[in-house]
Amino acid sequence: MSLGKPEKEQKGTGIYTSWGYVPLDLCCTAMPENLIVNFAPASLSSSSSSGSSSSSSSSGAGGASTSKKRNDHGDGGGGGAGNGRALVGAAHLDTFLIHEVNTDPTKEFASKHVHSIHLPSALQNRCIIFRAKWVSLPKPYSVKVLVLCTNLATYFYNELGSKQIFKFEYEGDDADLSRCCRTIGATKANILLGSERGELHVFSYEPRKGNIVPSRTLKLSTEPIAELCARRNGLLVVGSPSGALSVWTISQGDPLKLTEYVLCKPETITSIVLWSPYAIVAYGSGIIRMFNLFEKAIVAQIFAHSRWISCMDVCTSANLLLTMGEDDEARIWSLRRRQKGEQRSPIKLQSTIQIEDMNLIGGRFLNTQGTVLGACNLGNKDIAVYVGEDCKR
Amino acid sequence: MMRNANLLLYLNLAGEVFYIIVHRMKSQKVKEEHQERVRNDIAVAICHTTVIQNLLKGSLQILNLKLTDVRILMDRIVHSSIMTVNAFSMEKLFELTLIATKYQYTTCQYPSDILLIALNHLDSIRKAVTDPTAKTLTENLHNLLVDRFKDVDVRTMQTYRYLVLSYLADVKLKMTNLIRLGLQKTSGEFVKPFPDKIKRSELHSSGLIEVYKCPDQDESTSEFKCFSCDLQCECNELDSEETLRRLTTGKFPVKVHESSIRGKEVLTTRFKVEDSDLNMNTGAPLRTSLALNGDRGIILGCSIYDIPGNCDDAPIRTDESENDEAKENTEPASRDYSSNKGNFNDDYIGSSDLYATKGLDLCSVLLGCEPSDSEDDINQSRDIGGAGPSQYSASALGLESVLENFPSLGFGTKTSTFTGNTVDEQLNMNPNSINVIRFDARSDSTGSKAALVAIAQDFFDLEAEDKGENGKYQNAMDALLNDIDMPNEDG
């Protein structure tokens, strides 16, 4: 591959400034993508009206939209409606902390503690949360489930984390990490857990009782499922520790592998987000690669960070991508789809935030406009919230 | 997996204990034969097969223990030699090991480096010991580490690193040596070596976007109503059945190799200017070796006390304004592991006021007296609790675990009591154990002073007057009141 002469130097044009801090009782510990967000949670609004269709500013607490009317896609992390509030969650070892945060930058920053989930430990093994996610099941279920993957079991809670719905215990007595689940996804009707054994555990939701029941287990590969991204139609994008990205479908029962992207040398996949028509994949080498799922081609390679990329998030409605790395930098990128024959880059740097001398372990957009984002730092008893001055393309 | 993480954490902590003890013995100019004996004994304790086996089979799980129980473990390592360390010094030593370990794990460049850090510790231990048993144990442990970790993938190593960092997340301490070297700020955060001076093939300089030939297709998608924001956007095309149909049409699976982009027309854009190196490709491969005497390639894991300019005689910043600044910091570093309860100015090693107070306590404990009140106060004021509220209550279990799984490797009885009532009786020392004499070292009785002088003479092989070597100690009392205990020749 020959490199062309670099065209021009781009500089990030947007500016993000510190807006506030969400104080936590416990410090953030290191887990992949420690910070998760639940936009417009139903539990926070008092009415079930359809609410404002505008996503730009809060329409007030009374007219807030609810997640029952507006359901995120299967990943549960997409845009949220404009009641200006969101639930954010961060993990500390065996405790999951849930806070409500004001995400309307036109108002004063505020946050409050909602709930803490303390998970039980076994006699000889301490419980450690490895992954958490708010999963949204659309109509007819219209429910959000909080899934917590730990080294001992995977727990399913209601949206606010106040009630445990189901506990999925791993086979065997040993708490060895080689048999636990560490990735979470959801289709239209099912919640998916990817395990370290390359298996996909599928769970169904029973609306009558509000239960979650194991449905089936699918064997995808012999390698652990390092990252997983699922869509409602049963489309899965799975990342392996060796760097292979594979596209599957489980809509027809047995899993079918559609495409596999293989690297020349192994690089660990640390995060996957889907932004049609691309799969955007972050690696431990600091590189981000964009794959066109329809064209089955590698479209772009971005040397985004000089160290391990710890987390990535996409704001689909604002076409923004957030990446954070262990090089103490948080970068916001703007994404664009190319017209026929256009050769321009599908990605461009929007902004860089230097967060020095920290270990960034989690970052998310906190609102649908992509103007507010949160960052988790290892050992800090707070979530740093930043607001963008101008994030429009 | 957890067992591997436990092993790495244990080696790191124990290795740091070794470094500190060796460093302090050198700075206190302990006799070389005593130093050698202590080094050998501690190395045997660290690499003892019983301990390693207990770690590997999971009966000793450091990550499940509270910090107080881990301190007991380190205490056992230290007291497996002929040396004793009093409670205050032990506390200081433990804090140093925690912060050094946290520093190494925080600033390591790539997850697989944590194995190199552990091997660096073992290398230093192996080079410092002379006893054949100790050497064999360290070599065996080295081989075990390499066998166990050489095929572990990077993601798993990152998990181990995350586990250790999570365990130490609450530890917020300042370390004089790190601050002297510019590796830690006075506010407690570690200074990371950016831009990375070490180039390696696994990582890349940031700043470049490479775009490959665009397929001759329109990438714009059909507009969907966004579920979340009720706007027309293209974000949910991938959810549709039409998308699935497109993807499942034709032959599959299709394998796409990264090499397929070679030779394609490339559009490159730079978004960041590199300081010096315009070559955006990877650095030269970092040469690392897992062989017994190989070059690890990184210095993390080597003793920071051996770094030039990091000696105890270097001036310690005691600027009041700096201390005030540190106090005003929103997260002041504190001796309290689990919460920020204030800033201790005596974090700096060598505070003369502190040692003036503790010197006599040191003597008391060494000589078997009742623990001092001030020592109890110190211990009570520290809430060494580890993580915050948790249903996991393992203190009792942890302590049992430590005691069961770490055999006492003492050489002779450590605290045998010799109930002598007179100075003469007290001076009849048992050559086969630590000699303990009951009296109050803080009293001004002539008998007490005389006993101390006699003991110091025996320990330091000193005359009653000047030491003579460097004139540092005016008398045996001064020598004994230094901050580290000297080994009993007969222990």
PDB file of all heavy atoms in Angstrom, chain A residues 20 38 48 53 110 119 152 158 194 273 275 289 292 321 325 331 347 380:
ATOM      1  N   GLY A  20     -19.446  20.125  34.252  1.00  0.00           N
ATOM      2  CA  GLY A  20     -19.712  19.770  35.636  1.00  0.00           C
ATOM      3  C   GLY A  20     -19.212  18.367  35.939  1.00  0.00           C
ATOM      4  O   GLY A  20     -18.606  17.716  35.082  1.00  0.00           O
ATOM      5  N   ASN A  38     -28.602   5.844  29.452  1.00  0.00           N
ATOM      6  CA  ASN A  38     -29.974   5.501  29.087  1.00  0.00           C
ATOM      7  C   ASN A  38     -30.684   6.818  28.801  1.00  0.00           C
ATOM      8  O   ASN A  38     -30.956   7.598  29.712  1.00  0.00           O
ATOM      9  CB  ASN A  38     -30.629   4.747  30.248  1.00  0.00           C
ATOM     10  CG  ASN A  38     -32.081   4.416  29.963  1.00  0.00           C
ATOM     11  OD1 ASN A  38     -32.602   4.686  28.885  1.00  0.00           O
ATOM     12  ND2 ASN A  38     -32.742   3.818  30.940  1.00  0.00           N
ATOM     13  N   SER A  48     -46.982  10.132  30.139  1.00  0.00           N
ATOM     14  CA  SER A  48     -46.667   9.275  29.006  1.00  0.00           C
ATOM     15  C   SER A  48     -47.062   9.932  27.710  1.00  0.00           C
ATOM     16  O   SER A  48     -47.378   9.299  26.723  1.00  0.00           O
ATOM     17  CB  SER A  48     -47.405   7.944  29.152  1.00  0.00           C
ATOM     18  OG  SER A  48     -48.802   8.188  29.222  1.00  0.00           O
ATOM     19  N   SER A  53     -41.361  16.869  19.719  1.00  0.00           N
ATOM     20  CA  SER A  53     -40.595  16.169  18.696  1.00  0.00           C
ATOM     21  C   SER A  53     -39.247  16.814  18.489  1.00  0.00           C
ATOM     22  O   SER A  53     -38.410  16.333  17.771  1.00  0.00           O
ATOM     23  CB  SER A  53     -41.366  16.169  17.377  1.00  0.00           C
ATOM     24  OG  SER A  53     -41.573  17.515  16.967  1.00  0.00           O
ATOM     25  N   ALA A 110     -26.863  19.676  36.555  1.00  0.00           N
ATOM     26  CA  ALA A 110     -27.344  19.081  37.801  1.00  0.00           C
ATOM     27  C   ALA A 110     -27.343  17.572  37.649  1.00  0.00           C
ATOM     28  O   ALA A 110     -27.494  17.036  36.553  1.00  0.00           O
ATOM     29  CB  ALA A 110     -28.752  19.577  38.115  1.00  0.00           C
ATOM     30  N   LEU A 119     -23.993  -6.081  44.109  1.00  0.00           N
ATOM     31  CA  LEU A 119     -24.118  -7.475  43.703  1.00  0.00           C
ATOM     32  C   LEU A 119     -23.429  -8.376  44.718  1.00  0.00           C
ATOM     33  O   LEU A 119     -22.375  -8.019  45.258  1.00  0.00           O
ATOM     34  CB  LEU A 119     -23.506  -7.669  42.310  1.00  0.00           C
ATOM     35  CG  LEU A 119     -24.233  -6.912  41.207  1.00  0.00           C
ATOM     36  CD1 LEU A 119     -23.471  -7.047  39.898  1.00  0.00           C
ATOM     37  CD2 LEU A 119     -25.646  -7.442  41.037  1.00  0.00           C
ATOM     38  N   LEU A 152     -19.180 -13.729  38.029  1.00  0.00           N
ATOM     39  CA  LEU A 152     -19.896 -14.821  38.679  1.00  0.00           C
ATOM     40  C   LEU A 152     -21.190 -15.171  37.942  1.00  0.00           C
ATOM     41  O   LEU A 152     -21.581 -16.340  37.887  1.00  0.00           O
ATOM     42  CB  LEU A 152     -20.230 -14.458  40.131  1.00  0.00           C
ATOM     43  CG  LEU A 152     -19.017 -14.141  41.019  1.00  0.00           C
ATOM     44  CD1 LEU A 152     -19.469 -13.743  42.412  1.00  0.00           C
ATOM     45  CD2 LEU A 152     -18.080 -15.329  41.096  1.00  0.00           C
ATOM     46  N   ASN A 158     -34.458  -4.272  36.126  1.00  0.00           N
ATOM     47  CA  ASN A 158     -35.351  -3.341  35.457  1.00  0.00           C
ATOM     48  C   ASN A 158     -34.571  -2.060  35.165  1.00  0.00           C
ATOM     49  O   ASN A 158     -33.409  -1.922  35.507  1.00  0.00           O
ATOM     50  CB  ASN A 158     -36.594  -3.059  36.304  1.00  0.00           C
ATOM     51  CG  ASN A 158     -36.242  -2.333  37.596  1.00  0.00           C
ATOM     52  OD1 ASN A 158     -35.085  -2.294  37.998  1.00  0.00           O
ATOM     53  ND2 ASN A 158     -37.241  -1.760  38.250  1.00  0.00           N
ATOM     54  N   GLY A 194     -22.643 -12.484  24.744  1.00  0.00           N
ATOM     55  CA  GLY A 194     -21.516 -13.167  24.128  1.00  0.00           C
ATOM     56  C   GLY A 194     -20.575 -13.652  25.206  1.00  0.00           C
ATOM     57  O   GLY A 194     -20.238 -12.902  26.128  1.00  0.00           O
ATOM     58  N   VAL A 273     -19.066   0.075  16.812  1.00  0.00           N
ATOM     59  CA  VAL A 273     -20.339   0.783  16.689  1.00  0.00           C
ATOM     60  C   VAL A 273     -20.784   0.662  15.240  1.00  0.00           C
ATOM     61  O   VAL A 273     -19.959   0.542  14.335  1.00  0.00           O
ATOM     62  CB  VAL A 273     -20.248   2.277  17.102  1.00  0.00           C
ATOM     63  CG1 VAL A 273     -19.934   2.413  18.564  1.00  0.00           C
ATOM     64  CG2 VAL A 273     -19.248   3.027  16.249  1.00  0.00           C
ATOM     65  N   TRP A 275     -22.863   2.420  12.185  1.00  0.00           N
ATOM     66  CA  TRP A 275     -23.416   3.676  11.648  1.00  0.00           C
ATOM     67  C   TRP A 275     -23.561   3.439  10.164  1.00  0.00           C
ATOM     68  O   TRP A 275     -22.581   3.447   9.430  1.00  0.00           O
ATOM     69  CB  TRP A 275     -22.459   4.816  11.961  1.00  0.00           C
ATOM     70  CG  TRP A 275     -22.952   6.155  11.536  1.00  0.00           C
ATOM     71  CD1 TRP A 275     -23.870   6.921  12.170  1.00  0.00           C
ATOM     72  CD2 TRP A 275     -22.516   6.890  10.391  1.00  0.00           C
ATOM     73  NE1 TRP A 275     -24.051   8.099  11.498  1.00  0.00           N
ATOM     74  CE2 TRP A 275     -23.236   8.111  10.390  1.00  0.00           C
ATOM     75  CE3 TRP A 275     -21.611   6.654   9.368  1.00  0.00           C
ATOM     76  CZ2 TRP A 275     -23.063   9.077   9.414  1.00  0.00           C
ATOM     77  CZ3 TRP A 275     -21.429   7.618   8.392  1.00  0.00           C
ATOM     78  CH2 TRP A 275     -22.167   8.818   8.424  1.00  0.00           C
ATOM     79  N   ARG A 289     -10.952   1.409  12.249  1.00  0.00           N
ATOM     80  CA  ARG A 289     -11.175   1.027  10.845  1.00  0.00           C
ATOM     81  C   ARG A 289     -12.665   1.094  10.553  1.00  0.00           C
ATOM     82  O   ARG A 289     -13.506   0.739  11.396  1.00  0.00           O
ATOM     83  CB  ARG A 289     -10.648  -0.382  10.573  1.00  0.00           C
ATOM     84  CG  ARG A 289      -9.121  -0.470  10.650  1.00  0.00           C
ATOM     85  CD  ARG A 289      -8.618  -1.851  10.291  1.00  0.00           C
ATOM     86  NE  ARG A 289      -7.157  -1.872  10.261  1.00  0.00           N
ATOM     87  CZ  ARG A 289      -6.382  -2.151  11.300  1.00  0.00           C
ATOM     88  NH1 ARG A 289      -6.931  -2.452  12.460  1.00  0.00           N
ATOM     89  NH2 ARG A 289      -5.067  -2.124  11.184  1.00  0.00           N
ATOM     90  N   ASN A 292     -17.373  -1.022   5.138  1.00  0.00           N
ATOM     91  CA  ASN A 292     -18.661  -0.865   4.482  1.00  0.00           C
ATOM     92  C   ASN A 292     -19.304  -2.243   4.434  1.00  0.00           C
ATOM     93  O   ASN A 292     -18.822  -3.145   3.747  1.00  0.00           O
ATOM     94  CB  ASN A 292     -18.482  -0.287   3.078  1.00  0.00           C
ATOM     95  CG  ASN A 292     -19.822   0.070   2.447  1.00  0.00           C
ATOM     96  OD1 ASN A 292     -20.791  -0.682   2.533  1.00  0.00           O
ATOM     97  ND2 ASN A 292     -19.876   1.233   1.822  1.00  0.00           N
ATOM     98  N   LEU A 321     -18.898  10.753  16.290  1.00  0.00           N
ATOM     99  CA  LEU A 321     -18.258   9.594  16.894  1.00  0.00           C
ATOM    100  C   LEU A 321     -17.343  10.082  18.005  1.00  0.00           C
ATOM    101  O   LEU A 321     -16.612  11.060  17.831  1.00  0.00           O
ATOM    102  CB  LEU A 321     -17.436   8.849  15.829  1.00  0.00           C
ATOM    103  CG  LEU A 321     -16.680   7.593  16.280  1.00  0.00           C
ATOM    104  CD1 LEU A 321     -17.637   6.439  16.484  1.00  0.00           C
ATOM    105  CD2 LEU A 321     -15.620   7.220  15.243  1.00  0.00           C
ATOM    106  N   GLY A 325      -8.924   7.264  24.426  1.00  0.00           N
ATOM    107  CA  GLY A 325      -7.817   6.333  24.489  1.00  0.00           C
ATOM    108  C   GLY A 325      -6.991   6.533  25.735  1.00  0.00           C
ATOM    109  O   GLY A 325      -7.164   7.504  26.477  1.00  0.00           O
ATOM    110  N   ARG A 331     -11.484  12.206  21.527  1.00  0.00           N
ATOM    111  CA  ARG A 331     -11.655  12.837  20.209  1.00  0.00           C
ATOM    112  C   ARG A 331     -13.091  12.672  19.737  1.00  0.00           C
ATOM    113  O   ARG A 331     -13.708  11.613  19.919  1.00  0.00           O
ATOM    114  CB  ARG A 331     -10.715  12.202  19.189  1.00  0.00           C
ATOM    115  CG  ARG A 331      -9.235  12.439  19.480  1.00  0.00           C
ATOM    116  CD  ARG A 331      -8.407  12.083  18.245  1.00  0.00           C
ATOM    117  NE  ARG A 331      -6.999  11.967  18.542  1.00  0.00           N
ATOM    118  CZ  ARG A 331      -6.147  12.987  18.544  1.00  0.00           C
ATOM    119  NH1 ARG A 331      -6.569  14.196  18.279  1.00  0.00           N
ATOM    120  NH2 ARG A 331      -4.871  12.797  18.824  1.00  0.00           N
ATOM    121  N   ILE A 347     -14.831  10.390   7.363  1.00  0.00           N
ATOM    122  CA  ILE A 347     -14.654  10.745   8.761  1.00  0.00           C
ATOM    123  C   ILE A 347     -13.697  11.931   8.842  1.00  0.00           C
ATOM    124  O   ILE A 347     -12.755  12.058   8.061  1.00  0.00           O
ATOM    125  CB  ILE A 347     -14.131   9.539   9.583  1.00  0.00           C
ATOM    126  CG1 ILE A 347     -14.128   9.851  11.085  1.00  0.00           C
ATOM    127  CG2 ILE A 347     -12.742   9.122   9.129  1.00  0.00           C
ATOM    128  CD1 ILE A 347     -13.888   8.627  11.950  1.00  0.00           C
ATOM    129  N   ASN A 380     -11.357   7.947  39.912  1.00  0.00           N
ATOM    130  CA  ASN A 380     -12.055   9.187  40.257  1.00  0.00           C
ATOM    131  C   ASN A 380     -13.446   8.902  40.786  1.00  0.00           C
ATOM    132  O   ASN A 380     -14.134   8.029  40.290  1.00  0.00           O
ATOM    133  CB  ASN A 380     -12.181  10.087  39.021  1.00  0.00           C
ATOM    134  CG  ASN A 380     -10.961  10.949  38.850  1.00  0.00           C
ATOM    135  OD1 ASN A 380      -9.903  10.610  39.350  1.00  0.00           O
ATOM    136  ND2 ASN A 380     -11.108  12.048  38.136  1.00  0.00           N
TER     137      ASN A 380
END
